[in-house]
Amino acid sequence: SQQGEEDPQALSIQEGENATMNCSYKTSINNLQWYRQNSGRGLVHLILIRSNEREKHSGRLRVTLDTSKKSSSLLITASRAADTASYFCATDVTNSKLTFGKGITLSVRP
Amino acid sequence: DTAVSQTPKYLVTQMGNDKSIKCEQNLGHDTMYWYKQDSKKFLKIMFSYNNKELIINETVPNRFSPKSPDKAHLNLHINSLELGDSAVYFCASSPLHQNTEAFFGQGTRLTVV
């Protein structure tokens, strides 16, 4: 079974609202990463949070990590229609293997 | 300049054929990967190479054979294609050290008919 599990599977919000996506995992990790995939495109890295970090920001993105609960959340503030995409969390357990969850489909309505 | 490029972008072929997908990265990374994304968007690692050496071979049928002629290239050859091989295949690369992101290609949509 996969390491990361995102929640919810699908999220639909109005432009300007905040979007919160969650990810849970099973084993100890080196870091956790979030990626975005636009329809028909490759994955684009958004943010990486190390196992000894609790929160990280990048522009409108805020990621938290709770290693005791083995969970992470991605918050996108002031969402835009262009944020419509699938979002994946990925856990880095060893140097050579990123394990992805099933992804969350985010729809931002204009 | 494309960092990780895959060719072809689309591949339609008949069952039983043999096909190859090529991947090249110009980022100077030591590690390259192949991932398979199924129709439900589940992304699963297939292979990982460090400096041309195979590091990870997840439970992939031996009809799939990766080849890395140099650390900038990782090609995927698939023999005797089956309907279940239909998916999007992504190549990716990353530096060798810890806590680094992976860079993905645009994907190759393989359709076996």
Side-chain angles (χ1 to χ4, degrees):
Chain A
S1 61
Q2 66 270 21
Q3 165 81 313
E5 296 265 0
E6 293 98 341
D7 165 58
Q9 289 191 339
L11 183 59
S12 180
I13 59 173
Q14 200 73 35
E15 205 166 26
E17 294 179 338
N18 296 341
T20 300
M21 291 168 267
N22 303 302
C23 170
S24 60
Y25 57 93
K26 296 174 183 169
T27 65
S28 296
I29 59 174
N30 293 324
N31 64 69
L32 185 143
Q33 305 179 30
W34 285 90
Y35 288 79
R36 184 186 74 225
Q37 183 180 32
N38 288 87
S39 180
R41 308 295 295 272
L43 280 79
V44 173
H45 181 261
L46 294 176
I47 197 164
L48 180 154
I49 186 163
R50 300 182 185 200
S51 59
N52 62 353
E53 296 175 313
R54 292 297 165 256
E55 188 170 313
K56 206 160 181 183
H57 295 82
S58 176
R60 294 184 295 112
L61 305 180
R62 173 177 165 254
V63 168
T64 61
L65 180 65
D66 186 334
T67 52
S68 66
K69 294 181 180 178
K70 292 187 169 60
S71 67
S72 172
S73 67
L74 170 67
L75 169 68
I76 303 174
T77 60
S79 64
R80 305 167 182 168
D83 294 329
T84 295
S86 293
Y87 291 81
F88 294 84
C89 72
T91 50
D92 180 354
V93 176
T94 68
N95 277 358
S96 300
K97 183 176 177 178
L98 270 182
T99 303
F100 286 81
K102 291 183 179 180
I104 298 169
T105 301
L106 172 66
S107 299
V108 181
R109 304 185 301 274
Chain B
D1 287 343
T2 305
V4 181
S5 60
Q6 302 177 222
T7 53
K9 189 171 181 181
Y10 299 97
L11 185 53
V12 181
T13 187
Q14 289 189 325
M15 280 176 58
N17 284 351
D18 303 339
K19 290 293 179 187
S20 293
I21 306 171
K22 295 186 176 181
C23 178
E24 176 182 5
Q25 54 98 2
N26 63 5
L27 298 166
H29 290 165
D30 298 298
T31 306
M32 295 186 73
Y33 315 81
W34 277 108
Y35 282 84
K36 178 181 180 180
Q37 187 172 42
D38 63 23
S39 58
K40 296 182 180 178
K41 292 192 175 179
F42 178 44
L43 204 65
K44 185 173 169 60
I45 191 167
M46 300 173 68
F47 302 103
S48 169
Y49 269 72
N50 276 353
N51 280 319
K52 303 192 299 176
E53 282 192 40
L54 179 65
I55 301 298
I56 292 172
N57 180 349
E58 294 289 300
T59 50
V60 178
N62 57 14
R63 297 182 295 105
F64 290 78
S65 53
K67 286 189 170 53
S68 183
D70 55 61
K71 78 171 196 176
H73 295 84
L74 180 62
N75 304 322
L76 184 64
H77 188 76
I78 315 170
N79 289 329
S80 303
L81 279 155
E82 300 177 356
L83 293 177
D85 298 332
S86 295
V88 182
Y89 292 84
F90 287 98
C91 177
S93 72
S94 69
L96 181 59
H97 49 87
Q98 280 190 352
N99 295 315
T100 57
E101 66 192 84
F103 292 78
F104 281 76
Q106 291 295 296
T108 296
R109 181 173 293 278
L110 171 65
T111 303
V112 182
V113 297

